[in-house]
Amino acid sequence: MMRRHYDWAFITVLDLTLCYYSYELDEESSWYCVLVTPFGKYRRLRLSMGLAQSPDWAQAALEEVLQEELHDFIEAYIDDVAIFSKTWEDHVKHISIVLKKLEMSGYTVNPAKCHWGVTEVEWMGHMVTKDGLKPWPKKVEGIVNIAQPQTLKQLRAFIGIVNFYRDFWKQRAHVMAPLTALTKVPRKEFLKHWTDETTKAFKETKAMIAQDILLAYPDPNKLYVIETDASDYQLGAIGYQDGQPVFMWSRKLTKAQQNYATPDKEAACIVEVLHVYRTMLFGSRIEIHTDHLNITRDNISSQRFLKWRLAMEEYCPTIVYKRGEDNVVADGLSRLPLEPSGTNDPDETEDLFKEIFLHYPEAVGQFPLEFQYLAQAQDDDASIRESTSKCLRDEYVW
């Protein structure tokens, strides 16, 4: 995406409404998509969500419609179309061209879900700006919003989250030393031993985790493993690829949601995570780990649960049962107290996101995914300069 469209000033992202249902099935294919109901059997006449071939077909069909502009100012991904332009006048023209083509091909657009003429936008699991890729606060909501532990049990849960992925955080032992030492104090004297030094270590640890997760950019060609958990008052989830965390998420349950049955809370957690990280997850292979065995079964009695299971099928996930004692990180995110603001107000989350990096244990230098930084780093790399020279002399075959 950004390899081709690196010189732009405005971007618009169009969201296609019910994109799959824009494609009619032929007679033969329709008979392979029979839906069995208590009222009889019905065959689908249009492409539906939940079929393994649906994302591939939708992607190919959309690229065929937009093939003339695809390499000039458009990127398309299943049901999202991004339009890049250098000037506002060009941008208006480009939007008009794309909308006319989509209309002629039978697509509809949901204006409320589109981003029109902006300078930065969430796209494919990234925060895209004209200067490069920017950290995406949603990826670290779960860790940024964790409040300072008030009990020894909460501190141990927090340390457990960090230690579970200890191989990725090399400074862990040094930064967390004051927190680890605090686990040895008597339970009733916990708050008496909490000092400015432990507060500093707690904030540094959160910043360390957040920084590393932000730099672990997702690969849509790899499997996403998502672990979810729901407590009586909170939801929590972590997503990772190749064993490395790519996002952490949590939020408090509303009063109404606190009355849900346990399987419904877990299902609500899964559905919301898929929705929040849709731009990252949609169209990729997804494996969801849950400690509620009922979610993996087909016999569903709750109408609310059935509705959420159907919502999950849009992403074609594989749902796997995982014992609660093995679901360490998601369990911690669903139980550790959150900051008073929670995660409901984007502005407050953004403030917390910025504030946390004031406590990063080492000076945070240039963010490594800005175009100017990449260009300078490539110019300074001797091996890249040598390869470029060979290419120019036609001695290197790409």
Side-chain angles (χ1 to χ4, degrees):
M1 171 190 59
M2 298 304 294
R3 181 180 67 255
R4 293 200 298 250
H5 303 296
Y6 60 87
D7 184 15
W8 55 272
F10 301 97
I11 180 174
T12 287
V13 176
L14 304 177
D15 181 83
L16 304 184
T17 305
L18 298 175
C19 178
Y20 289 174
Y21 298 118
S22 301
Y23 311 112
E24 294 185 9
L25 297 175
D26 59 28
E27 186 73 12
E28 182 181 3
S29 299
S30 181
W31 284 107
Y32 284 101
C33 301
V34 174
L35 191 64
V36 180
T37 74
F39 316 104
K41 298 178 181 179
Y42 298 87
R43 60 189 178 98
R44 299 181 185 274
L45 302 179
R46 293 180 176 270
L47 189 68
S48 66
M49 295 178 289
L51 299 179
Q53 305 95 323
S54 293
D56 291 340
W57 175 261
Q59 180 68 28
L62 187 59
E63 287 186 2
E64 184 176 354
V65 170
L66 302 172
Q67 58 182 336
E68 294 180 8
E69 294 80 16
L70 200 57
H71 297 282
D72 296 329
F73 56 84
I74 292 178
E75 287 288 347
Y77 184 70
I78 302 181
D79 66 346
D80 287 324
V81 179
I83 305 170
F84 302 83
S85 307
K86 295 181 180 180
T87 67
W88 180 251
E89 290 74 16
D90 286 342
H91 198 57
V92 173
K93 293 177 183 178
H94 293 163
I95 293 175
S96 178
I97 292 171
V98 174
L99 290 178
K100 287 179 180 178
K101 284 209 165 189
L102 292 175
E103 183 181 16
M104 291 174 61
S105 300
Y107 293 97
T108 57
V109 171
N110 185 350
K113 291 187 178 181
C114 297
H115 301 274
W116 304 93
V118 296
T119 56
E120 61 179 48
V121 70
E122 293 176 13
W123 170 254
M124 296 288 293
H126 302 75
M127 181 63 74
V128 180
T129 76
K130 61 182 180 180
D131 297 320
L133 301 179
K134 177 182 174 181
W136 192 24
K138 282 186 179 180
K139 292 180 66 177
V140 291
E141 278 185 348
I143 196 71
V144 167
N145 284 283
I146 292 179
Q148 181 175 298
Q150 298 298 311
T151 66
L152 186 58
K153 183 178 180 181
Q154 291 175 357
L155 175 62
R156 286 174 173 168
F158 176 76
I159 294 175
I161 290 176
V162 182
N163 286 343
F164 194 81
Y165 291 103
R166 55 188 173 274
D167 293 339
F168 295 104
W169 299 313
K170 304 301 182 185
Q171 306 173 81
R172 172 186 55 87
H174 172 70
V175 174
M176 296 183 64
L179 299 176
T180 306
L182 200 59
T183 60
K184 301 176 182 179
V185 305
R187 178 173 56 85
K188 295 183 178 180
E189 299 180 8
F190 174 77
L191 292 178
K192 293 181 181 179
H193 289 79
W194 189 276
T195 64
D196 292 341
E197 183 184 11
T198 47
T199 297
K200 181 174 180 289
F202 175 69
K203 292 181 177 180
E204 286 182 349
T205 303
K206 291 206 300 180
M208 174 184 65
I209 298 172
Q211 177 75 358
D212 286 351
I213 291 178
L214 287 170
L215 296 182
Y217 275 82
D219 185 342
N221 298 311
K222 293 183 179 180
L223 174 70
Y224 285 99
V225 177
I226 303 174
E227 295 182 355
T228 63
D229 191 66
S231 65
D232 291 338
Y233 302 100
Q234 201 164 297
L235 307 176
I238 179 171
Y240 53 90
Q241 289 183 316
D242 295 333
Q244 181 172 0
V246 292
F247 69 80
M248 288 185 178
W249 174 85
S250 66
R251 79 159 179 85
K252 296 177 181 177
L253 290 167
T254 65
K255 289 185 178 180
Q257 290 170 335
Q258 291 174 17
N259 296 323
Y260 288 175
T262 301
D264 287 354
K265 291 178 182 176
E266 186 75 16
C269 181
I270 294 173
V271 170
E272 186 153 350
V273 168
L274 293 174
H275 174 72
V276 169
Y277 298 101
R278 177 184 174 86
T279 56
M280 180 190 297
L281 302 173
F282 191 67
S284 300
R285 292 180 298 128
I286 301 172
E287 184 174 287
I288 298 174
H289 293 177
T290 174
D291 60 358
H292 288 277
L293 190 59
N294 290 341
I295 292 183
T296 65
R297 294 171 176 164
D298 295 329
N299 53 330
I300 300 173
S301 57
S302 166
Q303 287 298 316
R304 180 191 294 126
F305 189 22
L306 176 60
K307 180 183 70 175
W308 284 334
R309 272 296 300 270
L310 291 174
M312 296 177 201
E313 291 306 315
E314 181 181 7
Y315 299 82
C316 305
T318 301
I319 303 178
V320 179
Y321 171 70
K322 184 175 183 178
R323 296 184 306 171
E325 52 265 34
D326 298 328
N327 204 12
V328 176
V329 180
D331 180 75
L333 292 172
S334 71
R335 298 178 189 278
L336 285 171
L338 300 180
E339 296 285 356
S341 62
T343 59
N344 296 325
D345 189 329
D347 292 334
E348 292 184 354
T349 300
E350 179 76 16
D351 291 341
L352 284 171
F353 172 73
K354 293 175 181 176
E355 189 270 343
I356 193 173
F357 287 107
L358 295 175
H359 306 280
Y360 193 65
E362 291 183 355
V364 180
Q366 174 71 45
F367 188 70
L369 294 177
E370 290 186 0
F371 295 138
Q372 293 179 350
Y373 177 80
L374 286 172
Q376 185 62 47
Q378 290 174 348
D379 290 340
D380 295 340
D381 191 298
S383 62
I384 293 179
R385 290 200 304 271
E386 182 180 354
S387 298
T388 303
S389 299
K390 288 182 178 180
C391 181
L392 294 174
R393 295 195 305 266
D394 294 327
E395 294 179 6
Y396 191 93
V397 180
W398 291 93

Short mmCIF file of all heavy atoms in Angstrom, two decimals, residues 46 72 101 109 138 146 216 221 263 269 274 291 298 300 306-307 311 317-318 336-337 339 366 373 380 390-391:
data_model
loop_
_atom_site.label_atom_id
_atom_site.label_comp_id
_atom_site.label_asym_id
_atom_site.label_seq_id
_atom_site.Cartn_x
_atom_site.Cartn_y
_atom_site.Cartn_z
N ARG A 46 -26.98 -15.10 -3.20
CA ARG A 46 -25.85 -14.18 -3.22
C ARG A 46 -24.73 -14.70 -2.33
O ARG A 46 -24.96 -15.49 -1.42
CB ARG A 46 -26.28 -12.78 -2.77
CG ARG A 46 -27.23 -12.10 -3.76
CD ARG A 46 -27.63 -10.71 -3.31
NE ARG A 46 -28.46 -10.05 -4.31
CZ ARG A 46 -27.99 -9.29 -5.29
NH1 ARG A 46 -26.68 -9.10 -5.40
NH2 ARG A 46 -28.79 -8.72 -6.16
N ASP A 72 -2.71 3.82 -9.65
CA ASP A 72 -2.48 5.26 -9.71
C ASP A 72 -2.80 5.96 -8.39
O ASP A 72 -1.95 6.63 -7.82
CB ASP A 72 -3.32 5.88 -10.83
CG ASP A 72 -2.90 5.36 -12.20
OD1 ASP A 72 -1.71 5.05 -12.37
OD2 ASP A 72 -3.78 5.25 -13.08
N LYS A 101 -17.82 4.47 -10.63
CA LYS A 101 -17.51 3.09 -11.00
C LYS A 101 -18.18 2.09 -10.06
O LYS A 101 -18.69 1.06 -10.48
CB LYS A 101 -16.00 2.87 -11.01
CG LYS A 101 -15.29 3.46 -12.21
CD LYS A 101 -14.05 2.67 -12.53
CE LYS A 101 -13.53 3.01 -13.92
NZ LYS A 101 -12.45 2.11 -14.34
N VAL A 109 -22.33 2.46 -0.78
CA VAL A 109 -21.36 2.96 0.20
C VAL A 109 -22.11 3.47 1.42
O VAL A 109 -23.15 4.10 1.29
CB VAL A 109 -20.50 4.08 -0.41
CG1 VAL A 109 -19.63 4.74 0.64
CG2 VAL A 109 -19.63 3.51 -1.53
N LYS A 138 -5.21 2.22 19.70
CA LYS A 138 -6.09 1.09 20.00
C LYS A 138 -5.32 -0.20 20.30
O LYS A 138 -5.81 -1.07 21.00
CB LYS A 138 -7.05 0.84 18.83
CG LYS A 138 -8.21 1.80 18.75
CD LYS A 138 -9.17 1.39 17.65
CE LYS A 138 -10.37 2.34 17.57
NZ LYS A 138 -11.30 1.95 16.49
N ILE A 146 -4.52 0.19 32.36
CA ILE A 146 -4.42 -0.53 33.63
C ILE A 146 -4.06 0.46 34.74
O ILE A 146 -3.08 1.19 34.64
CB ILE A 146 -3.38 -1.65 33.55
CG1 ILE A 146 -3.87 -2.75 32.61
CG2 ILE A 146 -3.11 -2.23 34.94
CD1 ILE A 146 -2.89 -3.89 32.45
N ALA A 216 5.35 -3.76 16.68
CA ALA A 216 5.08 -5.08 16.11
C ALA A 216 3.92 -4.96 15.14
O ALA A 216 2.77 -5.21 15.49
CB ALA A 216 4.75 -6.06 17.24
N ASN A 221 -0.98 -11.79 6.18
CA ASN A 221 -0.80 -13.13 5.61
C ASN A 221 -0.53 -14.19 6.67
O ASN A 221 -0.49 -15.38 6.35
CB ASN A 221 0.37 -13.12 4.60
CG ASN A 221 0.11 -12.19 3.44
OD1 ASN A 221 -0.96 -12.24 2.83
ND2 ASN A 221 1.07 -11.33 3.14
N PRO A 263 -21.44 -17.30 29.40
CA PRO A 263 -21.10 -17.49 27.98
C PRO A 263 -21.41 -16.26 27.13
O PRO A 263 -20.70 -15.96 26.17
CB PRO A 263 -21.98 -18.68 27.57
CG PRO A 263 -22.29 -19.39 28.84
CD PRO A 263 -22.39 -18.33 29.86
N CYS A 269 -17.31 -10.33 24.38
CA CYS A 269 -15.91 -9.95 24.33
C CYS A 269 -15.32 -10.26 22.95
O CYS A 269 -14.63 -9.43 22.35
CB CYS A 269 -15.14 -10.69 25.42
SG CYS A 269 -13.38 -10.28 25.49
N LEU A 274 -13.33 -8.27 17.65
CA LEU A 274 -13.33 -8.36 16.19
C LEU A 274 -13.78 -7.03 15.57
O LEU A 274 -13.25 -6.62 14.53
CB LEU A 274 -14.27 -9.48 15.74
CG LEU A 274 -13.83 -10.91 16.10
CD1 LEU A 274 -14.91 -11.90 15.72
CD2 LEU A 274 -12.52 -11.26 15.41
N ASP A 291 -11.95 -19.80 27.20
CA ASP A 291 -12.02 -20.81 28.27
C ASP A 291 -13.46 -21.23 28.55
O ASP A 291 -13.74 -21.86 29.57
CB ASP A 291 -11.35 -20.29 29.55
CG ASP A 291 -11.99 -19.02 30.09
OD1 ASP A 291 -12.93 -18.52 29.44
OD2 ASP A 291 -11.53 -18.52 31.14
N ASP A 298 -22.08 -26.24 18.74
CA ASP A 298 -23.06 -25.78 17.76
C ASP A 298 -24.47 -25.65 18.33
O ASP A 298 -25.30 -24.94 17.76
CB ASP A 298 -23.10 -26.75 16.57
CG ASP A 298 -21.79 -26.74 15.80
OD1 ASP A 298 -21.14 -25.69 15.78
OD2 ASP A 298 -21.42 -27.80 15.25
N ILE A 300 -26.98 -24.02 20.34
CA ILE A 300 -27.10 -22.70 20.97
C ILE A 300 -28.56 -22.46 21.34
O ILE A 300 -29.45 -22.55 20.49
CB ILE A 300 -26.61 -21.60 20.01
CG1 ILE A 300 -25.13 -21.83 19.65
CG2 ILE A 300 -26.79 -20.22 20.62
CD1 ILE A 300 -24.61 -20.91 18.58
N LEU A 306 -26.74 -16.61 19.89
CA LEU A 306 -26.84 -16.98 18.48
C LEU A 306 -26.53 -15.79 17.58
O LEU A 306 -25.82 -15.93 16.57
CB LEU A 306 -28.24 -17.52 18.18
CG LEU A 306 -28.53 -17.87 16.72
CD1 LEU A 306 -27.58 -18.96 16.22
CD2 LEU A 306 -29.99 -18.32 16.56
N LYS A 307 -27.04 -14.62 17.94
CA LYS A 307 -26.79 -13.42 17.15
C LYS A 307 -25.29 -13.11 17.11
O LYS A 307 -24.75 -12.76 16.05
CB LYS A 307 -27.55 -12.24 17.75
CG LYS A 307 -27.35 -10.92 17.01
CD LYS A 307 -28.08 -9.78 17.70
CE LYS A 307 -27.43 -9.43 19.02
NZ LYS A 307 -28.06 -8.24 19.66
N ALA A 311 -22.48 -13.06 14.04
CA ALA A 311 -21.63 -11.90 13.80
C ALA A 311 -20.16 -12.33 13.68
O ALA A 311 -19.39 -11.77 12.89
CB ALA A 311 -21.79 -10.87 14.90
N PRO A 317 -13.65 -17.28 11.88
CA PRO A 317 -12.62 -17.67 12.84
C PRO A 317 -12.70 -19.15 13.18
O PRO A 317 -13.73 -19.80 13.02
CB PRO A 317 -12.97 -16.83 14.07
CG PRO A 317 -14.46 -16.73 14.02
CD PRO A 317 -14.83 -16.68 12.55
N THR A 318 -11.58 -19.68 13.66
CA THR A 318 -11.56 -21.01 14.27
C THR A 318 -11.58 -20.80 15.78
O THR A 318 -10.70 -20.12 16.32
CB THR A 318 -10.29 -21.78 13.87
OG1 THR A 318 -10.25 -21.92 12.45
CG2 THR A 318 -10.27 -23.15 14.51
N LEU A 336 -7.72 -6.89 36.05
CA LEU A 336 -6.98 -5.77 36.62
C LEU A 336 -7.79 -4.48 36.52
O LEU A 336 -8.44 -4.24 35.50
CB LEU A 336 -5.64 -5.59 35.90
CG LEU A 336 -4.56 -6.63 36.25
CD1 LEU A 336 -3.38 -6.49 35.31
CD2 LEU A 336 -4.11 -6.46 37.69
N PRO A 337 -7.77 -3.63 37.55
CA PRO A 337 -8.55 -2.39 37.52
C PRO A 337 -8.06 -1.45 36.44
O PRO A 337 -6.87 -1.37 36.15
CB PRO A 337 -8.34 -1.80 38.92
CG PRO A 337 -7.03 -2.37 39.37
CD PRO A 337 -6.97 -3.75 38.79
N GLU A 339 -7.99 2.57 34.65
CA GLU A 339 -8.01 3.97 35.04
C GLU A 339 -9.46 4.45 35.08
O GLU A 339 -10.32 3.92 34.38
CB GLU A 339 -7.22 4.82 34.04
CG GLU A 339 -5.74 4.50 33.98
CD GLU A 339 -4.98 5.04 35.17
OE1 GLU A 339 -5.60 5.72 36.01
OE2 GLU A 339 -3.77 4.77 35.28
N GLN A 366 13.71 8.46 17.14
CA GLN A 366 12.87 8.60 15.95
C GLN A 366 11.99 7.36 15.79
O GLN A 366 12.46 6.23 15.88
CB GLN A 366 13.76 8.77 14.72
CG GLN A 366 13.03 8.78 13.41
CD GLN A 366 12.23 10.05 13.23
OE1 GLN A 366 12.72 11.12 13.50
NE2 GLN A 366 11.00 9.92 12.79
N TYR A 373 12.73 9.07 7.81
CA TYR A 373 13.68 8.28 8.59
C TYR A 373 14.13 7.05 7.81
O TYR A 373 15.31 6.69 7.79
CB TYR A 373 13.04 7.87 9.91
CG TYR A 373 13.91 6.99 10.78
CD1 TYR A 373 14.92 7.54 11.56
CD2 TYR A 373 13.73 5.61 10.80
CE1 TYR A 373 15.72 6.74 12.35
CE2 TYR A 373 14.53 4.80 11.58
CZ TYR A 373 15.53 5.36 12.36
OH TYR A 373 16.32 4.57 13.13
N ASP A 380 22.18 5.64 4.49
CA ASP A 380 23.33 5.41 5.35
C ASP A 380 23.78 3.95 5.35
O ASP A 380 24.83 3.62 5.93
CB ASP A 380 23.01 5.82 6.79
CG ASP A 380 22.76 7.32 6.92
OD1 ASP A 380 23.20 8.06 6.01
OD2 ASP A 380 22.11 7.73 7.90
N LYS A 390 24.54 -1.55 -8.24
CA LYS A 390 24.51 -2.71 -9.13
C LYS A 390 23.28 -2.70 -10.01
O LYS A 390 23.34 -3.05 -11.19
CB LYS A 390 24.55 -4.00 -8.31
CG LYS A 390 25.89 -4.29 -7.66
CD LYS A 390 25.86 -5.60 -6.90
CE LYS A 390 27.21 -5.92 -6.27
NZ LYS A 390 27.18 -7.20 -5.52
N CYS A 391 22.17 -2.31 -9.40
CA CYS A 391 20.92 -2.25 -10.16
C CYS A 391 21.02 -1.22 -11.28
O CYS A 391 20.59 -1.46 -12.41
CB CYS A 391 19.76 -1.92 -9.22
SG CYS A 391 18.15 -1.84 -10.03
#
